[in-house]
Amino acid sequence: MSSLEKLIPDLDALLPELEEVYKDLHRHPELSMYEYRTAEIAAEYLVRYGYEVTREIGVTGVVGVLRNGDGPVVMLRADMDALPMAEATGLPYASDVVTRDEDGVEVSVCHSC
């Protein structure tokens, strides 16, 4: 059994669900400091897999800690925010979100990284 399989049992069975979550997050992007929905989805998954979760770090940040004994510590960081620009990918799950930025200007929003 690989280390990844130990960490996430039934990973192959989980992949279709994770693909749907990916598409959902892509369809519903949120600007920096407004990622409330995205943060809650991330937190729910961390809780489901046994992580200690702290929400609202720096407004919308989420921290998950998985304790599994003594030894090395691994830290990962991921951005959840989208950019104020229109998506032109043509993907079936492309963002068509339009919102107002911190200055009140209406902007399109997408995950474009």
Side-chain angles (χ1 to χ4, degrees):
M1 178 180 285
S2 74
S3 297
L4 188 55
E5 289 169 326
K6 290 177 188 175
L7 186 61
I8 306 174
D10 302 322
L11 178 61
D12 288 339
L14 182 61
L15 287 177
E17 179 182 350
L18 292 178
E19 182 178 1
E20 287 307 309
V21 170
Y22 169 83
K23 290 176 180 178
D24 177 70
L25 294 176
H26 197 89
R27 274 187 214 104
H28 301 96
E30 297 168 299
L31 293 174
S32 181
M33 307 307 261
Y34 295 93
E35 314 98 315
Y36 297 103
R37 180 179 182 274
T38 303
E40 188 54 31
I41 291 168
E44 287 173 5
Y45 269 89
L46 291 170
V47 167
R48 182 190 303 179
Y49 288 98
Y51 288 73
E52 297 171 24
V53 175
T54 304
R55 294 169 168 86
E56 300 176 8
I57 304 296
V59 182
T60 57
V62 176
V63 172
V65 176
L66 180 62
R67 299 186 190 282
N68 64 351
D70 295 331
V73 174
V74 176
M75 298 174 70
L76 301 173
R77 179 185 181 277
D79 288 332
M80 302 186 296
D81 62 322
L83 297 173
M85 57 190 296
E87 181 168 354
T89 63
L91 293 168
Y93 52 89
S95 169
D96 60 4
V97 171
V98 176
T99 191
R100 295 200 179 273
D101 67 13
E102 62 188 25
D103 297 321
V105 175
E106 193 171 88
V107 294
S108 295
V109 183
C110 74
H111 286 288
S112 59
C113 293

